[in-house]
Amino acid sequence: MKEKPPRRLLWLRGQKGDYLAFDIIWARIEVLDLIGEWDQTESTLKNLLEDVSHLPQALAKVRKALGDIFLRRGRYSEARKLFELNVKYYSEKGDRILLGETLGLLGDIYVHQGEYSRAKEYYQKMIDMAREVNDLDLLARALNLFGNYYSDTADFEKANHCFQQWLAIAREKNDLRDIAHATGSLGNIYFRQNQPERALECYRSSLENSARLGDKCGMVSALGNSGLVYKNQGNYD
């Protein structure tokens, strides 16, 4: 078997004049983000944005990460500018999958801003693109986002339809995490439609699959939602 050539690292000049591998810097950013050090994450990403300005692919990756930080912090106009630059880049590059993901992020921004018609437009583009390239992962993410959109706008039938399609994809892939999330989302819809038994059935499925994964957050969510159903029924036993 022919050996693969060694992977080349991208080296960047650090602030102290030394050189650091991009992968090392990126790993540090991921840790800072994970532990909630968002100020330091943002600062590191902004510095990196300048360092990779001549490298389009790395630049798009940094823009996406920085845009995610802005989105979480409610700085929507700053996030939108970065995501729109990535839409232009991925369109020109012909990367339909990353383009679709970025369109979904723009949809998220418009949801947060209460511009639901604009959000719907971007989510629909994401779904169309996922189906065009026949990418199940992208389609699953799009259906999740669209389902949440319809849930937020109280169109529960359409939300249910999206989540059911998402669940079907998750089962086809045997993706336990997505099965747990999709059944949890369906449970929320049934709860809001005053269908407690169907909601509980979904929450039980979500709990079971979260437990199989060892996902304690998912288990707590499923148990908490089940508790809300019982509380709503006046069942405190």
Side-chain angles (χ1 to χ4, degrees):
M1 179 184 289
K2 185 177 179 182
E3 290 188 9
K4 292 182 179 179
R7 184 167 173 270
R8 295 182 61 187
L9 291 175
L10 172 63
W11 293 89
L12 301 171
R13 183 182 290 275
Q15 292 181 342
K16 297 180 181 179
D18 51 348
Y19 282 86
L20 297 172
F22 178 83
D23 287 358
I24 296 173
I25 300 172
W26 197 258
R28 181 171 182 270
I29 288 169
E30 288 178 333
V31 171
L32 289 170
D33 188 37
L34 184 65
I35 63 177
E37 293 287 348
W38 289 355
D39 287 338
Q40 202 170 348
T41 305
E42 180 181 330
S43 174
T44 306
L45 282 167
K46 283 180 175 177
N47 290 332
L48 195 57
L49 203 63
E50 297 179 11
D51 293 337
V52 300
S53 59
H54 61 297
L55 302 165
Q57 188 170 342
L59 180 60
K61 182 175 182 177
V62 175
R63 279 195 300 242
K64 193 266 182 188
L66 185 56
D68 285 342
I69 291 290
F70 289 152
L71 179 55
R72 269 182 266 159
R73 307 188 91 172
R75 291 155 61 182
Y76 302 126
S77 61
E78 293 173 89
R80 187 173 63 246
K81 287 177 184 177
L82 292 172
F83 294 150
E84 286 174 345
L85 286 170
N86 275 5
V87 165
K88 183 175 185 296
Y89 169 68
Y90 292 131
S91 296
E92 292 172 350
K93 188 182 176 186
D95 191 326
R96 311 291 282 173
I97 293 175
L98 289 178
L99 175 58
E101 290 179 357
T102 310
L103 292 171
L105 290 168
L106 285 167
D108 289 344
I109 289 174
Y110 288 118
V111 164
H112 285 296
Q113 292 181 317
E115 297 182 49
Y116 289 105
S117 60
R118 295 291 302 277
K120 184 178 181 180
E121 175 187 338
Y122 280 96
Y123 290 151
Q124 187 61 59
K125 287 180 180 179
M126 185 182 182
I127 280 187
D128 292 343
M129 199 157 293
R131 287 178 172 146
E132 179 184 323
V133 297
N134 195 29
D135 187 281
L136 289 181
D137 290 335
L138 183 61
L139 182 56
R141 288 193 292 273
L143 289 166
N144 177 22
L145 291 174
F146 226 157
N148 289 330
Y149 162 84
Y150 284 126
S151 178
D152 289 344
T153 55
D155 192 336
F156 300 130
E157 283 191 21
K158 289 183 179 178
N160 187 304
H161 183 63
C162 287
F163 291 144
Q164 291 285 4
Q165 290 182 78
W166 177 26
L167 179 58
I169 292 172
R171 284 174 171 161
E172 180 181 339
K173 294 165 53 186
N174 196 30
D175 185 331
L176 298 184
R177 190 171 303 279
D178 265 13
I179 291 172
H181 290 169
T183 50
S185 295
L186 279 166
N188 294 339
I189 294 300
Y190 288 129
F191 178 64
R192 294 179 70 181
Q193 290 181 307
N194 196 28
Q195 299 184 53
E197 294 309 317
R198 299 191 75 175
L200 287 170
E201 181 184 347
C202 288
Y203 292 146
R204 280 192 290 269
S205 174
S206 183
L207 176 61
E208 178 185 334
N209 285 287
S210 295
R212 289 172 67 185
L213 289 165
D215 179 0
K216 293 182 180 179
C217 288
M219 293 168 65
V220 168
S221 178
L223 288 168
N225 286 331
S226 298
L228 288 175
V229 176
Y230 289 124
K231 180 182 178 182
N232 196 53
Q233 292 178 318
N235 184 352
Y236 298 100
D237 295 334

